[in-house]
Amino acid sequence: MKDIYLDNNATTAVHAEVVDAMLPFFTEQFGNPSSMHRFGDQVGRSIRQARRQVQSILGAEHDSEIVFTSCGSESDSTAILSALTAYPDRKEIITTAVEHPAVLSLCDYLEKQGYTIHRLSVDSKGRLDRGEYESVLSDRVAIVSVMWANNETGTIFPVKKMAEMASAAGVLFHTDAVQAVGKIPIDLKETKIDMLSLSGHKLHAPKGVGVLYVRRGTRFRPLLRGGHQERGRRAGTENAASIVGLGLACRIAERRIDEENTRVKSLRDRLEAGILAVVPSAFVMGDTQMRLPNTSNIAFEFIEGEAILLLLNAAGIAASSGSACTSGSLEPSHVMRAMSIPYTAAHGTIRFSLSCDNTQEEIDRVIRAVPPIVAQLRSMSPYWSGDGPAQVDESFTPVYA
Ligand code: PLP
């Protein structure tokens, strides 16, 4: 039986059409787009087309606002470091406690360099507090960087409103939209967002290519200096094959956005309902209303996420957990900890992230596979007895603060 891939927030399979579109750029279309000859011209034209395709999915006003980078992480770093260089007198940054490490690790580093970092907290549903944001927004802030949608829970943040508030306060607003692009409609013309990051490999383009959208008129300082590529905003000979692949993947994603929000969403809902109907002490993490259509993060109380993943993997099902065992720690992720949910739930979270490639047969297989796995693990858990939670000393179930 074919393995089932439900880890699309980690990375996606490159569409076959995207691979086909990229191949000529490894063979006959090898020219350097900066060259003043036919070889360069051909490649330059294809890159311009890709730029328009990215412009279109973002609803950007001008194609010159699209800067190709090497990944989402580079785009995030470029946006934040650009703001600090462009506004050298401003020493504060606003972000959230649940950003991707591409933003949070940079902020941790900058804090050590003397910057003040305001990490907005979230409630148990992963939602931000408007009052807290207002209280730290001032002309001392160089940039606000808030993700459009969270990679672990799929919770969508009100970035349009937050960008308006930043704009009114005269502060730049950047959003890490790596998980949002291709999953929910985006129209930047309608917003006050100054900069936005996206990453190719989250929307069926290859790894190692990304975009930083920079609204026209935004004060900008490049991270990579050297060549004049990307209008001097990002030096380095263009990764033409990947850029062309990203452009086509954006075009396909734009066409399929309705399918993502109907068929994929209903598969996600079927998966969730099917599991929750039969597994006791399980609940959905994050904001179930304001949520990406493809993401379901379920906490299975009183068992370990890693153990669930291993058994799912043995059953041919790929998902991911909210604990970071791969980083050498068994602690729940920073996102789960920020949501202050009980220890016994934070440890047992599994993220299922779907894509247009998934089918109902696959989802039904997962619905059948999960309950016996959970039951098997609970039969070994000291927190579980018979068919319900065991009576344990309260001090064994800390809440992450
Ligand atoms: N931001 C978010 C929200 C992500 O989910 C990821 C990847 O998981 C990144 C940034 C980093 O993107 P990349 O892998 O292209 O550097």
Side-chain angles (χ1 to χ4, degrees):
M1 238 187 308
K2 205 170 143 258
D3 282 358
I4 301 173
Y5 187 74
L6 297 182
D7 200 10
N8 288 280
N9 286 10
T11 199
T12 55
V14 181
H15 286 317
E17 310 92 291
V18 169
V19 175
D20 288 346
M22 289 173 65
L23 288 177
F25 295 86
F26 295 105
T27 51
E28 68 268 23
Q29 301 238 35
F30 61 84
N32 185 327
S34 299
S35 300
M36 303 281 286
H37 48 59
R38 201 164 49 78
F39 294 88
D41 261 7
Q42 285 176 343
V43 178
R45 260 201 307 277
S46 300
I47 290 179
R48 282 196 293 282
Q49 184 189 22
R51 206 181 297 284
R52 287 192 298 274
Q53 289 166 327
V54 177
Q55 175 197 358
S56 175
I57 197 170
L58 295 181
E61 200 136 11
H62 309 281
D63 63 357
S64 60
E65 296 174 321
I66 306 304
V67 179
F68 288 111
T69 65
S70 70
C71 58
S73 303
E74 183 192 322
S75 303
D76 288 345
S77 271
T78 305
I80 293 170
L81 294 172
S82 165
L84 299 183
T85 318
Y87 295 89
D89 299 334
R90 298 182 175 209
K91 302 291 183 197
E92 298 183 19
I93 298 171
I94 300 177
T95 186
T96 78
V98 295
E99 296 298 306
H100 188 271
V103 169
L104 280 186
S105 300
L106 176 64
C107 287
D108 292 347
Y109 168 77
L110 291 168
E111 195 166 40
K112 293 199 186 94
Q113 309 301 308
Y115 288 93
T116 299
I117 312 294
H118 303 285
R119 298 174 185 80
L120 302 178
S121 58
V122 294
D123 66 11
S124 62
K125 293 275 177 207
R127 294 171 300 211
L128 295 170
D129 177 59
R130 182 185 168 135
E132 187 187 0
Y133 179 45
E134 274 169 339
S135 72
V136 291
L137 196 54
S138 77
D139 60 8
R140 295 185 302 277
V141 174
I143 189 164
V144 179
S145 180
V146 172
M147 64 199 332
W148 200 310
N150 185 267
N151 43 306
E152 289 191 28
T153 60
T155 300
I156 296 172
F157 284 147
V159 285
K160 287 184 213 160
K161 183 72 207 157
M162 294 178 85
E164 279 165 22
M165 291 164 69
S167 169
V171 179
L172 283 186
F173 190 93
H174 163 253
T175 184
D176 175 339
V178 164
Q179 294 293 345
V181 177
K183 294 175 187 157
I184 50 175
I186 288 181
D187 189 359
L188 288 173
K189 281 191 291 299
E190 302 289 304
T191 75
K192 297 281 187 195
I193 292 167
D194 299 297
M195 290 188 272
L196 173 149
S197 305
L198 73 84
S199 172
H201 72 104
K202 309 291 184 178
L203 66 150
H204 304 278
K207 295 158 188 64
V209 64
V211 162
L212 180 64
Y213 158 87
V214 184
R215 184 179 292 278
R216 207 181 245 191
T218 303
R219 240 195 252 181
F220 183 81
R221 303 286 180 273
L223 180 64
L224 297 189
R225 292 172 189 273
H228 58 272
Q229 292 90 353
E230 302 299 306
R231 297 168 171 249
R233 291 168 301 176
R234 200 271 185 182
T237 303
E238 296 86 342
N239 178 357
S242 294
I243 289 173
V244 167
L246 173 57
L248 180 56
C250 285
R251 198 169 113 208
I252 296 170
E254 195 179 350
R255 281 202 199 132
R256 285 190 163 182
I257 198 92
D258 289 339
E259 181 185 351
E260 187 81 30
N261 286 276
T262 52
R263 193 181 70 82
V264 175
K265 180 173 182 295
S266 80
L267 287 181
R268 189 275 313 270
D269 293 345
R270 182 182 180 92
L271 173 71
E272 227 162 51
I275 291 175
L276 297 185
V278 285
V279 179
S281 296
F283 55 89
V284 176
M285 300 291 303
D287 187 336
T288 50
Q289 298 309 309
M290 293 303 293
R291 187 164 53 138
L292 293 175
N294 79 318
T295 307
S296 175
N297 191 314
I298 302 182
F300 297 97
E301 286 188 284
F302 314 114
I303 48 178
E304 292 282 345
E306 282 71 29
I308 306 173
L309 276 191
L310 287 176
L311 294 180
L312 282 174
N313 189 42
I317 299 164
S320 79
S321 89
S323 325
C325 70
T326 45
S327 64
S329 142
L330 271 174
E331 285 291 283
S333 74
H334 67 286
V335 177
M336 296 303 146
R337 293 204 305 269
M339 289 164 67
S340 304
I341 56 162
Y343 176 90
T344 44
H347 268 272
T349 58
I350 296 291
R351 179 187 71 188
F352 300 99
S353 48
L354 286 64
S355 83
C356 288
D357 293 339
N358 292 119
T359 64
Q360 186 168 315
E361 291 69 45
E362 289 180 325
I363 296 305
D364 289 345
R365 240 176 84 196
V366 180
I367 292 172
R368 286 194 298 277
V370 169
I373 288 175
V374 173
Q376 180 189 345
L377 293 171
R378 281 184 177 159
S379 71
M380 297 183 275
S381 166
Y383 290 103
W384 193 260
S385 133
D387 51 11
Q391 291 297 323
V392 289
D393 186 329
E394 281 291 299
S395 62
F396 285 151
T397 56
V399 164
Y400 287 102

